[in-house]
Amino acid sequence: MVETENHNHQTPPSQAAPPPAVVPPLGAARGPLFPPAEQLLQLHYCIHSNPSWVQTAVLGFQHYIVMLGTTVMIASMLVPRMGGGPGDKARVIQALLFMSGVNTLLQTWFGTRLPTVMGPSFAYVISVLAIINDLSDSDFQSEHERFTHTMRAIQGSLIVSSFVNIILGYGNVWRNLTRFMSPVVLVPAVCVVGLGLFARGFPQLGNCVEIGLPMLILLVISQQYLQHIHPVARPMLERFALLVCIGFVWAFAAILTVAGAYNNVREQTKLSCRTDRSFLMSSAPWIKIPYPFQWGTPIFRASHVFGMMGAALVSSAESTGTFYAAARLAGATSPPGHVLTRSIGLQGIGQLLEGIFGAAVGSTASVENVGLLGLTRVGSRRVVQISTAFMIFFSIFGKFGAFFASIPLPIFAAIYCILYGIVAAIGISFVQFTNNNSMRNIYVLGVSLFLGISIPQYFIMNTDVAGHGPVRTNGGWFNDILNTIFSSPPTVALIVGTILDNTLEARHTVDDRGLPWLVPFQRRKGDSRNEEFYSFPLRINEYIPTRFL
């Protein structure tokens, strides 16, 4: 009985002990976490949404102005070495603009369908310099004859080497190569597309600091800071500040030129700063329609063709990284393999047309115009298609095109300081789809980024004015191929990153490499949004064989 009473006796419950303090592990995040985002959410217009027609036209003109800088740079670099005068330079610029307009239309309609401008590529410069040097010892009756003969040799090389990209693209070779690319490879490949062009930024700006530096500062202040003054001014400054700044600084350069500020300076400063040193306005024809074989019958020489083949390979690698950046800045998904391969094949067809119409170099996806998508936050495909109307119009009406082509190059260099940086940062954003804390990934990223910049810098520093690089064997064609490939930062970064990523514990680190995120986009039907962004217009895909889609 007592035992029962004791058993039923209720004792006061003991006070529960406080839970132990949770100590976060070393290195744990203490701030807000931002989950990965496949598409940028702060774009005003994505790939298939469009601003008003007036804004579309002004934005298209802005794309034309931005791509004009590279066109003028390449023509100014190559034409005098060929023996051409200001009139020849104006005609070369017209041919480059005309083909850029045609190729951009082809790519936005039947290629990647991304809002990318196809502009002249510096990847072909080494091969063109090799052709110029090879013909320098030949006897010609005049410098103009030497120029036309050189252009005919360039035409033949472009025509033959274009089949490299055609085979890579429509033979599905490029699609098979892209299967080895993971987000770990995309980071250096896209990042170096922008970082590798640093020599065209502040070093070119430094040729005329009093024009280039005000352009850079004015663009940053007006486009980024002044937009917050009033809500009405924000969209206008964000989208059109670039044109306004170009107008102000260009007028400032004209005032300095007329005032005589550059009368007693060295010749290089005059060429960079003065607004009247290009002689394009006086030498450009009023109306001139580029036509096939305008320089004469193409000249085919094996030694020239092999070097140009290396440039064609480089342009494919550079375009691939640019396409990934453009897709992200246009609010689209990453381009599938079949889209990339058809775009490279179409790029080869574009190079074939460039050889026929007499362009000085082949084309590639313009990095600066992709950066402009991010600067304006307008990734509309229609805007880029409208820009082709300006390219073709000003390529035909030469006097009007020459007026804008006389903008001093340091102004363009200041713009590139911003636009190339945006593309490089887009490459860095692909890190979010990988394991950032994997030492294996850190190793691949670091080595690929560093070698992607360091190796091309070595090749560029050891390349003379005649185009002879550090590889100097008895085979000139072999030298041209290697010197061209290893002078391209995106190509080197793509090669190094792909090799390391697919040989260092590749099978055991699939998740760390980000493949579960990327693989669905690489397949034709892996993601339902692929058809939305990349299908052909007007149901054209119903009439094209599947292997060519």
Side-chain angles (χ1 to χ4, degrees):
M1 186 71 176
V2 175
E3 184 180 26
T4 305
E5 289 178 355
N6 291 338
H7 180 76
N8 294 331
H9 180 69
Q10 297 293 329
T11 59
S14 60
Q15 190 172 5
V22 179
V23 180
L26 184 64
R30 291 180 173 84
L33 298 178
F34 301 98
E38 294 175 353
Q39 295 169 296
L40 297 175
L41 304 177
Q42 297 177 341
L43 298 175
H44 300 315
Y45 296 95
C46 64
I47 186 171
H48 45 47
S49 61
N50 307 301
S52 66
W53 279 106
V54 174
Q55 291 194 36
T56 297
V58 178
L59 288 167
F61 179 73
Q62 196 166 237
H63 273 279
Y64 159 72
I65 290 294
V66 167
M67 66 83 56
L68 189 60
T70 299
T71 305
V72 175
M73 281 183 189
I74 290 178
S76 301
M77 180 190 305
L78 297 179
V79 172
R81 298 185 183 183
M82 299 180 194
D88 299 318
K89 176 182 172 181
R91 291 182 63 189
V92 168
I93 291 176
Q94 286 180 278
L96 291 173
L97 282 177
F98 182 80
M99 291 313 306
S100 293
V102 172
N103 288 334
T104 301
L105 274 180
L106 290 176
Q107 280 290 346
T108 54
W109 278 343
F110 311 113
T112 60
R113 301 274 293 150
L114 290 168
T116 51
V117 171
M118 302 300 295
S121 172
F122 275 89
Y124 295 84
V125 168
I126 293 179
S127 301
V128 172
L129 288 176
I131 295 174
I132 295 173
N133 181 69
D134 192 39
L135 299 175
S136 60
D137 297 332
S138 302
D139 294 328
F140 299 101
Q141 295 181 355
S142 65
E143 284 294 284
H144 180 72
E145 182 181 349
R146 182 164 75 90
F147 167 77
T148 56
H149 189 87
T150 305
M151 286 299 300
R152 291 164 57 197
I154 294 172
Q155 280 185 267
S157 300
L158 285 173
I159 291 173
V160 177
S161 61
S162 66
F163 289 95
V164 172
N165 283 344
I166 293 175
I167 294 172
L168 285 175
Y170 293 118
N172 281 332
V173 178
W174 202 254
R175 176 166 63 177
N176 295 329
L177 292 176
T178 56
R179 292 176 180 173
F180 294 98
M181 296 170 58
S182 72
V184 176
V185 180
L186 292 181
V187 173
V190 178
C191 186
V192 175
V193 164
L195 291 182
L197 301 174
F198 67 90
R200 292 183 229 164
F202 208 87
Q204 288 285 340
L205 182 154
N207 292 333
C208 190
V209 178
E210 59 269 29
I211 292 177
L213 193 58
M215 177 66 196
L216 177 60
I217 296 174
L218 186 61
L219 179 59
V220 173
I221 292 176
S222 61
Q223 209 267 344
Q224 294 295 324
Y225 292 97
L226 294 184
Q227 62 170 289
H228 301 290
I229 294 178
H230 196 277
V232 177
R234 178 164 188 167
M236 303 304 294
L237 287 175
E238 195 169 47
R239 295 171 198 171
F240 309 117
L242 181 64
L243 284 180
V244 175
C245 293
I246 290 176
F248 275 117
V249 179
W250 190 13
F252 176 64
I255 293 173
L256 291 179
T257 301
V258 174
Y262 304 114
N263 291 342
N264 300 314
V265 296
R266 57 193 181 98
E267 190 64 26
Q268 179 61 40
T269 304
K270 290 182 180 180
L271 291 174
S272 300
C273 300
R274 294 183 68 96
T275 58
D276 58 356
R277 296 297 292 179
S278 62
F279 304 108
L280 292 176
M281 284 291 294
S282 58
S283 56
W286 279 104
I287 299 177
K288 181 72 174 181
I289 301 176
Y291 57 90
F293 309 117
Q294 58 179 323
W295 311 111
T297 306
I299 298 174
F300 300 95
R301 187 176 296 182
S303 59
H304 299 165
V305 169
F306 283 109
M308 202 68 78
M309 286 182 176
L313 287 171
V314 167
S315 68
S316 299
E318 292 179 347
S319 292
T320 299
T322 308
F323 288 147
Y324 275 102
R328 190 146 176 77
L329 288 171
T333 58
S334 293
H338 71 279
V339 172
L340 290 173
T341 197
R342 81 188 183 199
S343 69
I344 297 302
L346 192 60
Q347 189 171 315
I349 294 177
Q351 184 176 327
L352 177 63
L353 294 175
E354 287 161 345
I356 293 174
F357 279 84
V361 294
S363 63
T364 189
S366 173
V367 180
E368 52 267 31
N369 288 89
V370 172
L372 186 60
L373 301 179
L375 185 70
T376 60
R377 301 189 186 185
V378 178
S380 171
R381 182 191 294 127
R382 179 184 293 174
V383 169
V384 171
Q385 290 174 335
I386 291 297
S387 72
T388 62
F390 292 103
M391 300 176 202
I392 296 175
F393 175 84
F394 288 119
S395 69
I396 295 175
F397 297 92
K399 291 290 186 183
F400 299 100
F403 174 72
F404 294 106
S406 63
I407 298 175
L409 293 180
I411 293 180
F412 290 107
I415 298 171
Y416 296 160
C417 289
I418 305 296
L419 302 184
Y420 291 156
I422 292 175
V423 176
I426 284 296
I428 297 174
S429 71
F430 282 97
V431 175
Q432 64 183 311
F433 306 115
T434 68
N435 182 0
N436 299 335
N437 298 314
S438 167
M439 288 304 300
R440 180 255 185 207
N441 287 354
I442 291 174
Y443 178 86
V444 174
L445 291 174
V447 174
S448 302
L449 279 171
F450 184 81
L451 293 183
I453 297 175
S454 183
I455 292 178
Q457 183 66 17
Y458 166 77
F459 273 76
I460 293 172
M461 290 175 60
N462 291 277
T463 299
D464 56 27
V465 293
H468 296 141
V471 179
R472 301 186 182 184
T473 64
N474 293 329
W477 61 272
F478 180 76
N479 300 340
D480 292 340
I481 291 178
L482 289 187
N483 288 326
T484 300
I485 290 177
F486 289 102
S487 296
S488 167
T491 306
V492 175
L494 193 62
I495 292 173
V496 175
T498 302
I499 292 175
L500 291 178
D501 187 54
N502 288 275
T503 55
L504 293 177
E505 303 176 1
R507 293 184 179 180
H508 306 292
T509 56
V510 172
D511 292 340
D512 288 351
R513 296 164 62 196
L515 287 176
W517 170 80
L518 184 63
V519 167
F521 299 125
Q522 292 180 327
R523 298 171 181 168
R524 184 184 301 274
K525 297 185 181 299
D527 192 283
S528 59
R529 293 168 294 177
N530 288 345
E531 289 298 317
E532 176 187 356
F533 298 123
Y534 300 108
S535 61
F536 285 127
L538 303 175
R539 301 173 65 182
I540 295 176
N541 56 307
E542 297 180 4
Y543 307 99
I544 299 179
T546 305
R547 64 180 179 274
F548 295 126
L549 290 178

